[in-house]
Amino acid sequence: VPTAANKRFDTDYYVEGYATTFEEPYVLYEVDGVKYFEVIDRHALDGADLSDVIMQFDHTGRVFARTGGSHTLLLEPNERGLFIAADLSKTAQARSMYEDVQAGLVTKMSWAFVVEEDSYDRTTHTRRILKIRKVYDVSAVSFPANPSTDISARSWLDGVIEGEKAERLAAQAAERKKKAIKILLEV
């Protein structure tokens, strides 16, 4: 099974994005003029169960992609948040979701999970999610709780181009370093 970091899906129906972000507080509720925030700790997903996670729209209805079984969904916590990549080519409904994302009608994400540990700061009205036990779904959504999330439609070739560009830049940097060392040794 490929990982999001080293292989994108070879499909014309590829989407990627962030189901959540780390260390970015967002307003979860507002009651009587008081804003209640939530923030996901950078290490909240360490050791979390990410097996058999599904991708849906607004957390309900059809399953468009899945980590287990079809292996059409990849999840990878990274420095920004929970990165997702999905192949939406397998069903007509999944392809329709891809078209909604590509058209810019659906641009944000959310996720469903079970909290194992959290804390609450009464002064700032902020709940900090410290540890997630299980992630159940990542959803493309109409209105996210966390506005810093995103989802976008991309072609498989975009990932290849980005990878090759990174390789070229690394090779150029290595060549410059070799030249600099050679000049230093000649002095």
Side-chain angles (χ1 to χ4, degrees), residues 59-125:
H59 301 290
T60 60
R62 298 281 307 193
V63 174
F64 299 119
R66 183 175 221 131
T67 58
S70 69
H71 301 292
T72 52
L73 176 64
L74 301 173
L75 301 177
E76 182 175 274
N78 64 25
E79 67 284 344
R80 180 174 175 216
L82 181 57
F83 176 82
I84 72 99
D87 172 2
L88 299 183
S89 69
K90 302 303 181 192
T91 67
Q93 291 86 359
R95 290 188 296 275
S96 179
M97 173 51 62
Y98 170 86
E99 291 171 4
D100 290 346
V101 171
Q102 185 181 42
L105 299 172
V106 178
T107 60
K108 299 294 181 178
M109 295 199 75
S110 183
W111 61 324
F113 55 93
V114 173
V115 175
E116 186 168 316
E117 183 182 345
D118 64 350
S119 64
Y120 181 71
D121 183 328
R122 290 179 60 89
T123 305
T124 62
H125 306 287

